[in-house]
Amino acid sequence: MRWHTWRLDRYLVGEIFGPFLLGFLAYTFILLIDFFFESAEMIIRRGVPFRQVGELLVYFLPSTLVFTLPMAFLFGILVATGRLSSDSELTAIRSCGISLWSLLRPILALALLLTVVNGFLTLYFLPRGNTALNDLRMRILTSSISRQVDERVFYEEWQGLILYVFDVVPGEDRWKGVFLASTAPGSKNEVWFAEWGEIQSDPDVEGRMLLRLENVVSHEVDLLRPDNYRTSFNRILDKALEDPYAVDKAEARRARYKHLRELSVPELRDRLLEPELPVELKKQAEVEIHKKFSIPFACVVFGLLGLPLGFNRQHSGKATGFVMSIGVLFVYWFLMNNGEKVAREGSLAPWVAMWLPNLTFLVLGVVLLARKNRDRSLLPQRLDLWSRSIVGAVALRLRQRFKSRGPRGLRRSKTGKNGRNHTADIVLRLPQLRLKFPNRLDRYILVLFLSILSLAFLSGFSLIVVAKLTDKIDEILEHDIPWSVVFEYLRYSSFQGLYQFSPVAVLVTTLAAFGILTKRNEVTAVKALGISLYRLAIPALIGAAIVVALTAWMQNEVLPAANERTAQLEDEIHGREVTRSYRRADRNWLFGRDRFIYNYLHYDTRREALQRLQVFEMDTERGIVRRLYADEAFFVGDGWRFDRAWTRSFNALETTGYRRYEEPTLAAFPETPAYFEG
């Protein structure tokens, strides 16, 4: 008997392993693709080499595997037990006197093994991976910006600043001759000219970069009131490459204390012993300690819950298991994140909040398994009867609507008046194949394709929401963001995620749909009727074309507004209170053919007029030697006419000349209107 039990255990483990591996690869791939798309802009714009891209993925992998291992295990159990249930193998096993509790033995053995693996990832690899990932990101940002900035090209990637470098030092990440200007809206204007410049990481604030300028001359003026003009000199000047008002006390505190997710359990315990540690950070540290143990234990909980849920399914197939695993995960992570919120607020003890989801699902799994072992439904009797009646009524209507008719030429036996059966000859006539479009076969394949596609998008959406919520939970709790704002952020940010996920969804759907058709031998039957695979693929191509049309519409009509709203909500989540522009202003910077830098708000091609024009005459050794401003400038013949203008000349810090023009004045510059039109 033990030998047969051992064979049964091995058989069940083998049934679970295949779907588990499939789910593990699918879930991990989806999260890695989402991370890659989020980092794609940084990778492309910064010119990150392939080796560092691989390092980014490797360092991100531990935080992904911590999620995907329990998810894939639940998926494997649901698919395996669902297949055994639909093929009546579980019924046969139970008829031999083997209870469901006995089948739980190999599942719990696998669950304990995965718990150990996941615990090892959480305790050792996850903190090191998060630390290495953040450090690598900062190295990429600081080193690649210096390489990305080309000499004599305007660099506009920083909010509120524009950079122009005269010379890049070969082999070094330093620049010689740096022109920097503020692009904040309004009449107040500030520009700087530095002898040297470079990019450094801010030692005081985590995740922020500094532009360090040496031997700097600053020019500050109100363009509409140029009489009050100030110049100053700084030996060293650091400019933060993000809004300084966004760095609040919470971010300064995070700079003092290393991010808690980057700490191991001994380091977290050492933090708890620090007497000057704020109470809020102590609660966060306790939450992180218990989370490092409660998340791996989810493998055991999902193993106990998956057996009754899978046994309850009436049809086999991976799609149902995929959806059920996503649903269970979504509920579990929602309870986990809410528990973290109430624990940091002090409403619950950290250990209670972090272990409550596991306890809830553990009790639920035991209750469901006990009911199923006694051949009872998972739901209470009245609720089960009500749900079955609703589902049965819907299924009956669908069967009546789409009931297939018998083929023409098929003669059946009939019952006479005397009760005897009169058997007639059965003549099977194969109908002549009509390949009109769309026929019943096209509709069948298209419905199958769209149903699998909807499941793929649903799973991708759920994983993206869980990943984004996990990534932002620290800021959400730290700044006490209402859940209404969080849900709105998840809703608008999901549009971009689904847009990026759509090619992968179509690929997975195509493979799954034709895999199902092949498994059911329907492809063979269709080919036997003379239908080629090219003709069979037309409905799938139509489904893919529908996705292309929807994504194109989203790109033009939905994503611009959704991404703008996402940026606003993200600023609110991060605690940024300063209003900023989320669309690049219509400001233009050009370097002339000689030594002039032009800045204007708008160029009117019909009138050949420049509005709100500034001209900086530059000297690479002395900096700004002359500056001109005009509300409007018109090209007249061989020169420019300036209206409401003023000029100022400099020799380093000293102002050598200043003149304000009340009347229009003429001046010659080498640039013509054709230069500004290009």
Side-chain angles (χ1 to χ4, degrees):
M1 184 66 182
R2 291 182 179 178
W3 183 74
H4 291 291
T5 304
W6 171 245
R7 288 190 62 183
L8 180 61
D9 292 345
R10 284 192 304 166
Y11 179 70
L12 186 58
V13 170
E15 289 291 320
I16 294 174
F17 181 76
F20 164 75
L21 184 60
L22 176 63
F24 175 74
L25 295 176
Y27 292 137
T28 305
F29 179 74
I30 291 174
L31 291 180
L32 288 179
I33 285 294
D34 181 63
F35 170 76
F36 183 78
F37 274 117
E38 286 187 351
S39 307
E41 184 177 1
M42 179 189 70
I43 293 172
I44 295 172
R45 290 194 175 186
R46 308 301 181 194
V48 180
F50 182 77
R51 178 182 59 82
Q52 287 188 332
V53 175
E55 290 181 5
L56 284 173
L57 294 177
V58 169
Y59 295 149
F60 179 72
L61 196 58
S63 61
T64 303
L65 298 182
V66 168
F67 289 107
T68 56
L69 279 175
M71 294 162 53
F73 184 54
L74 177 62
F75 172 71
I77 296 173
L78 291 172
V79 172
T81 54
R83 209 271 313 163
L84 295 175
S85 176
S86 62
D87 292 345
S88 301
E89 292 185 31
L90 284 180
T91 304
I93 291 172
R94 296 190 63 198
S95 65
C96 297
I98 301 175
S99 68
L100 292 181
W101 298 102
S102 299
L103 296 180
L104 195 62
R105 181 176 55 253
I107 294 177
L108 289 181
L110 283 177
L112 291 175
L113 177 62
L114 292 178
T115 299
V116 172
V117 174
N118 208 2
F120 194 71
L121 288 172
T122 306
L123 295 175
Y124 295 99
F125 286 99
L126 183 59
R128 292 168 174 80
N130 289 338
T131 302
L133 181 63
N134 292 332
D135 293 342
L136 181 58
R137 278 175 169 170
M138 286 307 303
R139 291 201 308 270
I140 290 174
L141 292 176
T142 54
S143 62
S144 61
I145 288 179
S146 301
R147 296 193 304 266
Q148 187 180 3
V149 175
D150 297 324
E151 60 184 17
R152 301 184 182 274
V153 175
F154 287 100
Y155 186 80
E156 305 178 74
E157 298 301 321
W158 299 322
Q159 181 70 29
L161 293 173
I162 188 164
L163 176 72
Y164 187 88
V165 174
F166 286 90
D167 295 294
V168 176
V169 180
E172 298 184 20
D173 293 334
R174 301 185 71 203
W175 312 309
K176 180 175 175 57
V178 178
F179 175 83
L180 184 70
S182 172
T183 58
S187 60
K188 292 185 178 180
N189 182 270
E190 192 171 6
V191 296
W192 302 266
F193 181 84
E195 182 180 0
W196 295 96
E198 62 180 333
I199 299 294
Q200 295 183 354
S201 59
D202 193 340
D204 298 326
V205 179
E206 179 185 355
R208 192 175 73 173
M209 295 178 298
L210 295 177
L211 173 61
R212 171 153 292 185
L213 304 175
E214 301 179 13
N215 300 329
V216 190
V217 177
S218 303
H219 297 254
E220 186 177 357
V221 65
D222 187 336
L223 297 176
L224 302 180
R225 299 176 180 84
D227 295 335
N228 186 14
Y229 197 107
R230 294 191 301 172
T231 58
S232 59
F233 176 81
N234 294 93
R235 177 70 181 84
I236 298 292
L237 181 63
D238 290 333
K239 297 294 295 183
L241 297 184
E242 64 178 15
D243 198 321
Y245 294 99
V247 184
D248 56 7
K249 295 180 180 179
E251 293 185 3
R253 187 166 60 251
R254 283 203 302 270
R256 183 181 177 187
Y257 299 102
K258 191 179 177 182
H259 199 284
L260 295 178
R261 291 187 179 179
E262 301 175 15
L263 301 179
S264 61
V265 173
E267 291 174 328
L268 288 170
R269 288 175 177 170
D270 292 339
R271 289 291 172 89
L272 290 176
L273 298 178
E274 296 179 6
E276 70 277 7
L277 188 70
V279 177
E280 182 183 358
L281 285 180
K282 284 187 177 182
K283 293 179 181 178
Q284 294 180 19
E286 292 180 12
V287 166
E288 289 297 324
I289 290 175
H290 289 285
K291 188 190 292 186
K292 291 182 182 297
F293 294 96
S294 63
I295 291 179
F297 190 74
C299 295
V300 176
V301 175
F302 289 165
L304 184 62
L305 185 65
L307 182 58
L309 290 180
F311 192 16
N312 191 56
R313 290 166 50 209
Q314 300 298 323
H315 301 283
S316 62
K318 299 179 178 59
T320 307
F322 200 77
V323 174
M324 291 181 69
S325 62
I326 289 292
V328 172
L329 172 79
F330 196 83
V331 175
Y332 178 85
W333 229 254
F334 181 78
L335 294 176
M336 181 69 71
N337 289 326
N338 275 275
E340 188 172 350
K341 179 179 175 63
V342 297
R344 292 188 178 186
E345 292 175 351
S347 302
L348 276 179
W351 70 271
V352 175
M354 291 297 97
W355 287 95
L356 187 59
N358 285 336
L359 181 62
T360 302
F361 278 90
L362 187 65
V363 172
L364 181 63
V366 171
V367 171
L368 295 181
L369 187 60
R371 290 181 63 86
K372 202 62 188 176
N373 193 52
R374 294 195 297 268
D375 294 326
R376 295 182 179 180
S377 62
L378 299 182
L379 299 176
Q381 185 176 4
R382 292 185 179 180
L383 183 60
D384 183 65
L385 292 175
W386 178 78
S387 62
R388 287 176 182 271
S389 63
I390 296 296
V391 174
V394 174
L396 180 61
R397 291 183 181 180
L398 291 177
R399 283 197 300 268
Q400 291 175 350
R401 183 174 181 180
F402 298 104
K403 185 177 181 181
S404 59
R405 300 176 181 177
R408 296 178 182 179
L410 182 65
R411 299 170 57 191
R412 299 180 176 87
S413 61
K414 300 180 180 180
T415 303
K417 295 181 179 180
N418 55 2
R420 296 182 179 180
N421 292 333
H422 299 279
T423 304
D425 296 333
I426 297 178
V427 180
L428 182 62
R429 298 175 181 175
L430 293 178
Q432 184 178 1
L433 185 62
R434 298 178 181 179
L435 295 182
K436 294 182 179 180
F437 184 85
N439 55 29
R440 181 174 296 177
L441 178 62
D442 295 323
R443 294 195 296 270
Y444 173 73
I445 296 176
L446 185 60
V447 169
L448 177 64
F449 185 91
L450 294 180
S451 61
I452 298 176
L453 182 67
S454 62
L455 293 178
F457 273 115
L458 177 63
S459 61
F461 169 78
S462 301
L463 288 177
I464 290 171
V465 167
V466 170
K468 289 185 179 296
L469 185 60
T470 304
D471 182 59
K472 301 294 183 185
I473 190 63
D474 289 334
E475 289 78 11
I476 292 171
L477 300 178
E478 192 166 1
H479 299 103
D480 196 20
I481 304 299
W483 281 111
S484 59
V485 176
V486 176
F487 290 143
E488 188 177 4
Y489 167 75
L490 295 175
R491 180 180 64 178
Y492 284 109
S493 62
S494 63
F495 287 109
Q496 183 68 30
L498 293 177
Y499 172 78
Q500 295 170 345
F501 179 68
S502 57
V504 179
V506 172
L507 175 61
V508 171
T509 301
T510 304
L511 295 175
F514 284 95
I516 291 174
L517 294 176
T518 303
K519 183 178 179 180
R520 297 174 180 173
N521 295 321
E522 293 174 335
V523 173
T524 304
V526 169
K527 291 179 66 177
L529 294 175
I531 302 176
S532 67
L533 292 178
Y534 300 104
R535 178 63 180 82
L536 195 64
I538 290 179
L541 292 176
I542 293 176
I546 293 174
V547 177
V548 171
L550 289 176
T551 53
W553 174 75
M554 285 180 59
Q555 185 180 23
N556 294 325
E557 303 294 335
V558 178
L559 289 183
N563 290 341
E564 182 180 354
R565 182 58 179 157
T566 300
Q568 295 173 353
L569 294 170
E570 193 170 27
D571 278 352
E572 185 174 350
I573 290 174
H574 283 277
R576 301 188 182 109
E577 299 178 356
V578 174
T579 303
R580 63 181 178 93
S581 175
Y582 297 90
R583 294 178 177 173
R584 181 166 293 177
D586 187 18
R587 288 179 171 82
N588 300 276
W589 291 83
L590 292 172
F591 191 86
R593 288 187 290 265
D594 194 357
R595 58 189 182 278
F596 301 102
I597 291 179
Y598 297 91
N599 168 233
Y600 56 94
L601 182 64
H602 177 69
Y603 175 68
D604 189 340
T605 56
R606 183 179 59 84
R607 300 168 57 216
E608 294 186 337
L610 293 164
Q611 297 178 0
R612 197 171 173 178
L613 173 67
Q614 290 191 86
V615 183
F616 300 90
E617 185 177 349
M618 305 297 301
D619 185 288
T620 55
E621 299 296 332
R622 295 184 297 159
I624 302 174
V625 297
R626 185 167 174 262
R627 181 175 184 176
L628 178 145
Y629 171 82
D631 283 348
E632 274 193 309
F634 300 88
F635 188 72
V636 287
D638 56 352
W640 291 87
R641 189 193 76 192
F642 300 100
D643 291 348
R644 298 175 297 279
W646 55 265
T647 61
R648 190 178 290 267
S649 304
F650 307 93
N651 182 10
L653 289 176
E654 181 183 358
T655 299
T656 58
Y658 168 68
R659 184 175 179 182
R660 191 166 185 174
Y661 300 93
E662 301 296 338
E663 300 294 333
T665 183
L666 297 177
F669 285 93
E671 280 65 42
T672 61
Y675 186 78
F676 298 99
E677 292 176 358

